[in-house]
Amino acid sequence: MTHNTRLLRQRIGPHVKLMAVVKANGYGHGDGAAAKAARAGGADAFAVASLAEAVGLRRQGLREPILVLGHLSLIDEVHACLRWRLLPTISTLDQARLFHTVASRSGACLPVHVNLDTGMARLGVPWREGVALIQAILHLDGLQVEGVYSHLAAADAVDPSLTQQQQQRFDHVVAALTNRQPARFCRHLANSAAAMADSSLHYDMVRVGLALYGHAPAEHLEGRLALRPAMAVRARVTILKTVPAGTGVSYDHRYHTKRPSRLAVVAIGYADGVPRLLSNHMGVLHRGRWLPQVGSITMDQLMVDATDDPQLHTGAVVTLLGHDGTASISPLQWSQACSTIPWDILCGFSSRLPRLRAARSTRHGGQLTIN
Ligand SMILES: *Cc1c(COP(=O)(O)O)cnc(C)c1O
């Protein structure tokens, strides 16, 4: 991750800040470890989705600015922002008034980032109302507009037209504000895809998630940066058995052996985050060789056809995701096999899977290693 963060840092240059997005437990990698690795590579700030995630980072000793991307609207949440020095996202006037009231009662002036909805139809103030909202907040002495941002709906698309439309709307609001109000605030728009694709989208800061974990957000962006996947998922073979041709394997016998076969039971399953939809559509690596997974993936175990790998022995570690010799399996491959996206695969790994540093990476059952 440190390596990937350095690459991004070089790409955006010294005048653009790098906000590392470590929501959803650092995209499944462990948020504290991910944040510290990103910091070592030059990240200036962090973003998370929820208050609990932000407080979790503070408790793990991270002192950099933390932006909460999700919508906070309770009095206790305002107090928590003040207490833990967190940057809330403001999308509505009601929310701004509440934050102002609570902050000014505490004698504080809380820095906030205003989110503009320029085409995502999710969080954020509709962009046509953005100038009015921000002008109103400028009159609330409990709040200080430190940042103005928006989120792109299709920055990873080959066709840039939606991104261009969102950028025009963003520029329109920012220009209207800087005409009337010279005060400087931090403008940010780019996610990983935008940060990799187009420097005109960088503004004062980029908010990068997926790329820091070593994955390009789209096939056409692969190779733009020499990213290295931070995560590998491995598990142990616990039992090997030889079965005759025609043997039904796992629940509902969704696979039958076509020949006398050597089956390996591997101690990882869908409860760890291996999508059950990959049943009969994935494989594992052992010493650089790809072995097909067979039958339904179960909650805690999956079966592999090891007939062609006589060297595979009980206790061997196989690779489900990541590198093994010159071979590798990526979250993109998994996501394509089960009609989802790499983000969904990464943050689907459960807390049962121990997160280990790559250096000491042998363990029983499944494991997720990070470098
Ligand atoms: C998750 C998220 C990001 C990071 O997106 P990546 O594509 O993973 O880089 C950036 N901004 C917002 C608002 C997000 O929710």
Side-chain angles (χ1 to χ4, degrees), residues 21 23 27 69 122 149 151 190-193 207-211 343:
V21 182
K23 61 193 178 188
Y27 288 42
L69 300 165
R122 191 177 67 170
Y149 77 97
H151 189 45
N191 55 8
S192 295
R207 302 183 307 271
V208 181
L210 193 72
W343 292 260

Side-chain angles (χ1 to χ4, degrees), residues 19 22 44-48 50 53-58 62-68 84-88:
M19 176 174 267
V22 295
D44 304 287
F46 303 109
V48 291
S50 74
E53 290 178 325
V55 172
L57 287 182
R58 286 279 182 259
L62 289 142
R63 307 174 67 89
E64 287 70 20
I66 302 177
L67 175 63
V68 181
W84 296 98
R85 240 180 359 90
L86 307 174
L87 301 165

Side-chain angles (χ1 to χ4, degrees), residues 39-347:
R39 183 174 62 187
D44 304 287
F46 303 109
V48 291
S50 74
L51 191 64
E53 290 178 325
V55 172
L57 287 182
R58 286 279 182 259
R59 290 209 160 109
Q60 292 177 78
L62 289 142
R63 307 174 67 89
E64 287 70 20
I66 302 177
L67 175 63
V68 181
L69 300 165
H71 190 73
L72 306 179
S73 56
L74 305 175
I75 292 171
D76 284 352
E77 295 175 328
V78 189
H79 285 300
C81 288
L82 292 164
R83 165 158 184 227
W84 296 98
R85 240 180 359 90
L86 307 174
L87 301 165
T89 290
I90 300 291
S91 300
T92 72
L93 189 56
D94 283 348
Q95 189 198 12
R97 289 205 181 107
L98 174 82
F99 273 70
H100 155 74
T101 306
V102 177
S104 50
R105 263 191 220 136
S106 317
C109 179
L110 182 64
V112 301
H113 286 228
V114 175
N115 184 1
L116 304 170
D117 176 6
T118 58
M120 182 73 186
R122 191 177 67 170
L123 302 174
V125 59
W127 65 279
R128 290 177 201 280
E129 300 160 30
V131 175
L133 175 65
I134 293 164
Q135 292 290 339
I137 297 174
L138 293 174
H139 291 106
L140 301 175
D141 57 13
L143 301 184
Q144 178 221 334
V145 180
E146 181 190 280
V148 173
Y149 77 97
S150 186
H151 189 45
L152 297 169
D156 48 0
V158 178
D159 177 359
S161 51
L162 180 53
T163 298
Q164 284 165 358
Q165 184 186 48
Q166 289 193 261
Q167 183 177 24
Q168 281 162 13
R169 292 169 171 180
F170 187 67
D171 287 343
H172 178 88
V173 176
V174 166
L177 288 167
T178 40
N179 280 345
R180 294 188 218 174
Q181 179 74 33
R184 281 287 297 153
F185 44 80
C186 174
R187 303 160 301 162
H188 46 112
L189 180 61
N191 55 8
S192 295
M196 288 170 71
D198 180 356
S199 62
S200 83
L201 299 166
H202 291 175
Y203 294 92
D204 304 312
M205 182 164 78
V206 297
R207 302 183 307 271
V208 181
L210 193 72
L212 297 186
Y213 304 95
H215 307 284
E219 268 170 340
H220 71 99
L221 295 171
E222 271 170 12
R224 294 257 179 141
L225 291 172
L227 299 170
R228 289 188 207 145
M231 176 193 288
V233 177
R234 300 194 166 89
R236 263 182 209 279
V237 172
T238 51
I239 290 187
L240 279 157
K241 55 183 59 172
T242 303
V243 298
T247 300
V249 178
S250 192
Y251 291 121
D252 302 320
H253 287 184
R254 283 169 59 201
Y255 178 82
H256 287 86
T257 55
K258 289 164 195 68
R259 53 181 177 170
S261 300
R262 199 163 162 258
L263 297 180
V265 181
V266 180
I268 191 167
Y270 63 77
D272 299 291
V274 182
R276 189 171 166 280
L277 283 171
L278 287 178
S279 299
N280 288 317
H281 298 291
M282 65 170 285
V284 303
L285 300 172
H286 178 242
R287 300 196 178 183
R289 185 199 294 260
W290 188 85
L291 306 172
Q293 184 279 324
V294 293
S296 290
I297 294 169
T298 73
M299 190 181 283
D300 317 305
Q301 329 285 339
L302 54 81
M303 272 64 89
V304 163
D305 181 354
T307 314
D308 295 330
D309 185 4
Q311 290 193 355
L312 189 74
H313 56 86
T314 302
V317 173
V318 295
T319 299
L320 289 93
L321 269 190
H323 285 270
D324 178 351
T326 54
S328 72
I329 302 173
S330 71
L332 182 65
Q333 288 169 300
W334 274 24
S335 68
Q336 288 171 339
C338 58
S339 308
T340 184
I341 53 175
W343 292 260
D344 184 20
I345 299 292
L346 293 177
C347 66

